[in-house]
Every structure is written in structure tokens, then in C-alpha cells.
Amino acid sequence: MSKNDLITRLFRPEVLALSAYHVADAAGFIKLDAMENPYSWSDDVKQQWLAALKDCELNRYPDPEAQQLNATIKRVNGIADEFEVLLGNGSDEIIQLLLMALPQTANVLSTTPSFVMYKQISDCLGLDYHGVPLLADSFDLDVSAMLAVINEHQPSVIFLAYPNNPTGNLFSEAAIVEIINAAHGLVVIDEAYAPFADASFMNRLGQYSNLLVMRTVSKLGLAGLRLGYMAGSPAIIEQLHKIRLPYNINILTQVSANFALTHHEIFDQQTQAICSDRALVLAQLNALEGITAYPSAANFILFRTPQGRATEIFLSLKQQGVLIKNLSPQAGLLSDCLRVTIGKPEENAAFLTAVQKSLES
Ligand SMILES: *Cc1c(COP(=O)(O)O)cnc(C)c1O
């Protein structure tokens, strides 16, 4: 039997049909492609963090419930005691856990464009995924189209990224409420960019029994730790605890995240700087001939290049040492679009100079 026969016999067709999630090699680039916080910590804060790590017992398994970190997360996010919080190895793992718990016949609904892992994980598990296009002019929810899919397919889970990645906008609140009310299953509001937005559904958990609110520390400034969390009713979270691996949050992450979140003034200044630089980059991009940049409530900006030139501009930037994200291959509403993460002022300046140069060539 050839090796190929073995592979096709062994693995599910859904798996064979997938392509791996590709992450560009960023070595040597000004890295503005992955919504990371560009700032590190002062030596003083680093010393305090290392002191906290010093007593970690690496020879022992971590607390399987990560109780201390869980309590800190509840406190800093204002999550009431009546709700339960599930921790994941990144919010990616939480999406995976939730979808793994569904029956094979389940449907999943989100928007197009949206965060790619909703579809990637649904495809991997063989679940039917529906991506309803956003409105072309505003990138807001097409409520009637969403309601039509809800009524026809009764999705078990609806994912709404708030603010949305990669468009950067907050969907209209009234539209989201309409969808939560119409949903037959769960609605996950994915607030990965909460540190940069002035809006949240966290304080509405008590109003809707099918609402879950998910966040991550990645975009805040701790992408290397891999920690996400989701709050909701204990009856739902309890089911997910059953399928989560017992020690999914390692001890270094538990201690480091607990340290960082109890010193969150470290991040307040950084996220404020990122938000004010976001306004500058938006204005400067829009001042460039042929570029349309869209307002953002996140730490990145989506912008449209002159027709047919996105890939050429993306490659020109790369040649000039600046790595951003080319979304144009995803087509649809993202044709001709690129996405840049807000970096340090000097990185933003280098990016803007590179765009200008690429437009002139
Ligand atoms: C980045 C991102 C995530 C993934 O977060 P991790 O915790 O790093 O896995 C989830 N949702 C959205 C919308 C994102 O943009």
C-alpha cells in the first residue's frame, strides 16, 4: 500500500481537504501583521514579574481550574459571581472546544468577512458553516440575511466579532440584540479587541441566557502567553469543562497572566497610546491619493487600495521591510484591501512612508 493510500484511509475527508493556517515569517520585518501590542514592559515591571515566576513549581501539574487567575479575570472584567468563566489556550481553543461539543449535524453562523478560525474549525469538524456577507457600505450586519439563515438552518452557534476582524468596526448594537433574540442556539460575542473599543456585551450576560462573551489577553499585550476566556451561564460552561483537557492553562501562563492583569495599569497607558496613534494613522492613510481607510475600534486599520493594486502594494511594503496583511485574495468585500496593525509611532511612520512610495512606483 502506498503512503498516500494510508493517509487518505486514515484521516477524515474534512481534514484532508483543509489547508494549514499559514503564518508569515516575520523575522527582520517591522511587524504590523498580527494585531500584537508593540510595547514591552519596563525593567522594573519585568523584575516584579520574574519574582512572581520564581516560585512556580514546574515539577507539579498546574491548578486544573486555574482558580486564582479565574478570580482575577472575573474581578478585572466585572463578571458577576453568578456567571462561570472558561479559560482556554488562546480564545482559539475556546472556539474549538465549543464546536467540538456540538452534534455532527450542527450549523454554525458568522459573517463574511470575519475571524477565519470560526470557519476553519467548523470545516475541520465537518460542521455546516454559513458566512453571511456584511453590508458593503458600512460593514455592518445584514440583519435580514442573518435572520433568514437563522430561520432556515437554526445554527447552534453564532459568532459575532465585536469589533470585527478584519474590518475593525463595531456592529450596530440593535442589530446584535435582534440576532440574539432570534437565535435558536448560542451567540458568542467575540470581544478580542475590547481593550481598544468603548463597547461590550459583558454587562448584558444576565439579560440573555444564550449569550456568551469571549475575550483574550493576546491583543492587549500578552499574545505569547496564549490565554483566552469566555463568560456565560454555568449550565453552558459546565458542558465545556467536561471536554477541555485537564491542564490546558500551563503554570507559567497562570502566574504571568495573573501578575499582568493585577497590574493592568501597565496596559492602560499602552492601549491609550495605540488608540491615539490609530487616529493619526487613519487620517494619514486617508490623505494618500487613492487610499480609503476605514474607521476602527480595534488596534488595526483596514484600507482599500486602488483597484487591482493590493498585492503589488503589499509586496512593495514587504520589500521595504514592512509586513502587513494582504486580505485581497479573500475577495468579496475584501478585494483590494490590506490590513495594518498599529505599531510604535516610528513603525507607523515607516509604514506610511512605504505606502506612499509604493503608490508612486
Ligand atoms: C485574534 C483573534 C482571536 C484569537 O485570539 P487568541 O486568544 O490569540 O487565540 C479571536 N477572535 C478574534 C476576532 C481575533 O481577532
Side-chain angles (χ1 to χ4, degrees):
M1 184 173 45
S2 83
K3 212 175 203 173
N4 246 358
D5 289 341
L6 175 68
I7 299 298
T8 47
R9 191 166 51 81
L10 276 181
F11 296 108
R12 282 185 285 117
E14 295 86 354
V15 176
L16 295 169
L18 281 178
S19 341
Y21 184 77
H22 174 72
V23 178
D25 182 6
F29 287 100
I30 294 178
K31 191 172 186 308
L32 302 176
D33 65 328
M35 284 78 98
E36 292 143 330
N37 176 337
Y39 299 105
S40 53
W41 296 350
S42 68
D43 282 343
D44 176 46
V45 171
K46 279 185 187 164
Q47 282 306 324
Q48 293 177 51
W49 167 54
L50 289 173
L53 285 181
K54 198 156 170 264
D55 295 326
C56 277
E57 294 190 89
L58 291 181
N59 54 319
R60 303 285 177 201
Y61 282 105
D63 174 2
E65 315 295 335
Q67 292 171 66
Q68 194 181 7
L69 176 57
N70 204 301
T72 299
I73 284 173
K74 278 184 145 181
R75 183 168 49 77
V76 301
N77 289 281
I79 301 168
D81 281 342
E82 64 198 281
F83 303 109
E84 195 75 44
V85 176
L86 175 80
L87 306 187
N89 185 357
S91 35
D92 289 349
E93 189 192 33
I94 293 178
I95 300 166
Q96 188 183 47
L97 281 173
L98 179 58
L99 295 182
M100 266 169 46
L102 303 179
Q104 199 63 58
T105 52
N107 278 261
V108 177
L109 169 62
S110 187
T111 61
T112 302
S114 193
F115 183 49
V116 293
M117 294 313 286
Y118 309 147
K119 179 175 190 301
Q120 174 91 1
I121 297 172
S122 298
D123 286 351
C124 169
L125 294 169
L127 305 175
D128 269 330
Y129 177 89
H130 306 273
V132 172
L134 297 173
L135 298 173
D137 45 347
S138 59
F139 296 135
D140 206 345
L141 295 167
D142 183 343
V143 179
S144 55
M146 297 283 286
L147 294 180
V149 174
I150 289 170
N151 288 328
E152 190 183 344
H153 299 284
Q154 316 207 338
S156 300
V157 177
I158 302 172
F159 289 104
L160 297 173
Y162 186 73
N164 189 41
N165 171 9
T167 53
N169 60 307
L170 288 161
F171 299 137
S172 108
E173 208 180 297
I176 294 178
V177 168
E178 224 178 311
I179 287 166
I180 296 172
N181 282 322
H184 300 250
L186 304 174
V187 179
V188 178
I189 306 294
D190 180 350
E191 299 188 348
Y193 300 96
F196 313 97
D198 290 326
S200 172
F201 273 73
M202 197 63 100
N203 58 8
R204 302 204 194 193
L205 281 175
Q207 288 172 39
Y208 311 101
S209 58
N210 60 340
L211 175 62
L212 294 161
V213 177
M214 185 166 72
R215 289 186 176 176
T216 173
V217 299
S218 295
K219 314 298 158 57
L220 176 67
L222 298 167
L225 283 185
R226 307 306 296 131
L227 178 72
Y229 48 96
M230 184 165 74
S233 99
I236 300 166
I237 301 293
E238 187 193 342
Q239 301 305 318
L240 303 177
H241 270 303
K242 294 184 200 168
I243 57 168
R244 138 181 107 71
L245 295 174
Y247 305 108
N248 64 331
I249 312 299
N250 73 75
I251 191 165
L252 298 178
T253 296
Q254 290 191 27
V255 172
S256 301
N258 196 65
F259 168 82
L261 294 176
T262 49
H263 293 78
H264 69 100
E265 65 280 356
I266 307 169
F267 301 115
D268 294 345
Q269 213 185 349
Q270 297 179 348
T271 50
Q272 269 169 35
I274 290 166
C275 288
S276 50
D277 291 341
R278 174 180 72 197
L280 296 176
V281 175
L282 181 71
Q284 287 168 306
L285 270 174
N286 274 323
L288 295 175
E289 179 83 30
I291 299 287
T292 304
Y294 299 98
S296 167
N299 63 341
F300 60 85
I301 292 175
L302 181 80
F303 62 101
R304 199 176 293 280
T305 65
Q307 200 176 357
R309 293 194 62 190
T311 297
E312 161 207 332
I313 292 171
F314 167 77
L315 291 172
S316 164
L317 261 68
K318 213 170 154 184
Q319 193 123 46
Q320 297 176 72
V322 181
L323 185 64
I324 64 170
K325 177 84 176 175
N326 184 9
L327 296 165
S328 196
Q330 290 186 32
L333 292 180
L334 295 177
S335 288
D336 305 313
C337 283
L338 301 173
R339 185 192 66 198
V340 63
T341 304
I342 304 300
K344 294 179 179 172
E346 62 272 23
E347 296 174 320
N348 301 333
F351 156 73
L352 286 158
T353 306
V355 177
Q356 191 155 25
K357 213 167 149 194
S358 72
L359 285 169
E360 285 159 5
S361 62

